[in-house]
Amino acid sequence: MALFSRRKKSDSDDVSAERPEGVIEPGEQPVAPAEPPAAAVPQVTISTSSFRGVGAPADATPATDSTPPVAARPSARPPGPMEAPEGRESIPGVQDNALLATALAEISGAAQPVQLLNVARQLLQGNVFLRVKGDARALIAEGKDLPLAVATRGDEQLVLAYSSGQALSQSVHADGDRDTSAMAQPVMALLRYVLDGPYAGLVLDHASGDARAVLPTALLERMVSEADADLRIKTALSAKRTESTASTIVDAIVAGAPLWIAVNQAEGGPVGVAESRAATGERFLEVFSHPLELLALGRGDQAVPLKSEQLVAAIRGDDGLTGLLVDPAGPWIRLTRDDLAGLLTRAE
């Protein structure tokens, strides 16, 4: 259950809570801002006939069953693993956000825009840890609000959050302030709280050296506005894979979870839509659960919203299309025509 109450930007910096997921003793310290992410890629409109195009040249490196091929562009980041790393519990009872911690660990020196976009996309799943001034359990027992620890940057305030109990413990070691405690919160509840408050953004793992990031409110607003409110696809992809994972994702698509495609245009050529090809030649249309999933690849493609009727028309209109590749940056999944039967049947 979310620990936040909705409030206006003019309200105080406290939050209300019912029960913390875990409690330890951290502190807080100011941090400097990271470089802001690149401007959003403009959207374009295409017809369903454009699905037969390919938005990027074929990858010359042979693919395996566990590695989706991507366009061979110097600025593109390689695909991530098919499955998320196994979760660990730095604080008993609450799993760390392993994907977020991994994305932050890629930062060395000043964060690059594409690295911040990668951090932002991986933030959109699981829990994050927050710091509270005072004894959270005692405050909750007394029915009092929980004031979040924040960093200051001039006249601005930024909420502190952590990808793991380990990252939070590093901040305890760094500042020695033991008059604070910590708890876990679902990421969407945190993002809405930051946007509803008088904050300039969110600081992640501020005491972890280079492996930290500052996400400004402009980026947080886009993350929330374009995200599935329940993060159904992201949640399924980041969880341990089971026999029902594919059907869970297809059910989310049928129920209206938003999707995007990647489009590009060679100089003087037609607009094409990005595909991936398996080593054995199967073709998979790339689809994305959020525009950040595409932008973090750094390929220069444009994110275009994909309506369910367009998706169905694309699959039915191209017999050579094997299925879909969802979120190629990873964690990802391939969905075959058999997997998509529920979507195709419902559209009839």
Side-chain angles (χ1 to χ4, degrees), residues 34-55:
E35 291 295 322
V41 177
Q43 294 185 345
V44 298
T45 301
I46 63 170
S47 66
T48 54
S49 63
S50 296
F51 279 98
R52 65 175 180 269
V54 178

Side-chain angles (χ1 to χ4, degrees), residues 26 44 58 75 112 135 144 248 264 329:
V44 298
S75 61
Q112 299 301 307
D135 185 333
K144 296 181 178 179
T248 298
N264 210 321

Side-chain angles (χ1 to χ4, degrees), residues 139-341:
L139 291 169
I140 293 169
E142 296 170 6
K144 296 181 178 179
D145 289 339
L146 301 182
L148 288 186
V150 298
T152 58
R153 185 176 64 187
D155 294 332
E156 297 178 332
Q157 289 188 330
L158 302 98
V159 175
L160 299 178
Y162 302 87
S163 64
S164 65
Q166 178 182 357
L168 206 154
S169 296
Q170 288 175 327
S171 71
V172 175
H173 179 75
D175 58 43
D177 183 354
R178 299 188 176 276
D179 188 30
T180 57
S181 51
M183 65 181 62
Q185 272 289 283
V187 65
M188 289 298 284
L190 170 62
L191 295 181
R192 293 189 181 101
Y193 169 77
V194 174
L195 292 175
D196 283 349
Y199 304 111
L202 181 67
V203 186
L204 298 168
D205 291 5
H206 74 99
S208 298
D210 287 344
R212 64 180 181 87
V214 176
L215 305 183
T217 53
L219 177 57
L220 302 183
E221 286 171 352
R222 181 172 185 187
M223 290 168 64
V224 171
S225 67
E226 296 180 309
D228 176 16
D230 298 319
L231 299 176
R232 289 164 287 185
I233 294 176
K234 283 285 289 181
T235 300
L237 289 176
S238 62
K240 184 176 181 179
R241 298 296 166 90
T242 68
E243 293 182 355
S244 64
T245 299
S247 61
T248 298
I249 293 173
V250 174
D251 289 345
I253 295 173
V254 171
L259 289 176
W260 283 259
I261 52 173
V263 304
N264 210 321
Q265 185 174 21
E267 186 174 355
V271 172
V273 175
E275 296 178 354
S276 289
R277 302 202 180 197
T280 50
E282 291 91 349
R283 295 169 48 222
F284 293 85
L285 177 68
E286 293 183 358
V287 297
F288 303 84
S289 62
H290 194 285
L292 287 174
E293 291 292 328
L294 169 59
L295 299 182
L297 288 171
R299 302 189 315 203
D301 297 332
Q302 295 174 310
V304 174
L306 178 65
K307 297 180 180 179
S308 59
E309 55 266 30
Q310 289 178 301
L311 176 58
V312 170
I315 298 171
R316 289 178 175 170
D318 188 345
D319 292 337
L321 192 63
T322 307
L324 306 180
L325 173 62
V326 184
D327 286 355
W332 53 267
I333 192 171
R334 288 189 179 110
L335 301 175
T336 66
R337 285 178 176 267
D338 288 342
D339 294 326
L340 297 166

